[in-house]
Structures are given as structure tokens and as C-alpha cells.
Amino acid sequence: MQAVATKVLPHHIANLRTEANVGVILPWFEKSLSLPGDVIEVGCFRGTLSIKLAFVLRSLGLSKTVYAFDTFEGFQI
């Protein structure tokens, strides 16, 4: 998926700072693309990963919606 993401994401979107571990998330995201339903990100912080996922979906021609949720207070461990 990282190869797909780097091919389809515009440079200005690919370079957005993302706090998430993209190397872990993108392979799972790729595996989920064939499943029905939309995409949800919980704990989106600035939403940059959600933007990247939405760009990948659009460029692959998939009509899924990306929903991003955050507590705006952080999660307690």
C-alpha cells in the first residue's frame, strides 16, 4: 500500500505531517479496501492521515467515505 500511496498522493498531501505510524496502518488499510463499508479513524488529531486515506480512495476510484473522530482531550492510558 505504501507503494500505491506514494504513486497516487500529490506531493503536497504526501508530505503532510502525520503522527500515526503509517507503516503499520497502510498495510491494514490496503487489506480492508475490498470490504464493504466506509473508513473510520479514531483519534485523528489534525486529520492529516484521514486526508491521505481519502486521497488514496479517490484516486483508486473507490466511493468510500472517511470519517474522522477525536476526543479533543486525548485518551487516558
Side-chain angles (χ1 to χ4, degrees):
M1 181 62 190
Q2 286 177 297
V4 172
T6 53
K7 290 179 184 176
V8 299
L9 287 177
H11 221 26
H12 67 282
I13 299 297
N15 289 336
L16 290 174
R17 181 177 170 199
T18 303
E19 302 295 325
N21 188 339
V22 178
V24 172
I25 294 170
L26 288 180
W28 287 101
F29 177 68
E30 177 183 2
K31 290 178 183 184
S32 73
L33 293 177
S34 62
L35 299 173
D38 294 322
V39 176
I40 181 172
E41 181 185 1
V42 178
C44 63
F45 190 43
R46 288 187 217 111
T48 54
L49 179 61
S50 299
I51 292 168
K52 292 177 183 188
L53 298 179
F55 264 87
V56 170
L57 291 170
R58 175 179 267 179
S59 60
L60 294 175
L62 298 172
S63 60
K64 295 179 179 242
T65 302
V66 177
Y67 295 96
F69 296 92
D70 200 273
T71 65
F72 298 101
E73 296 177 5
F75 295 102
Q76 292 187 13
I77 297 175

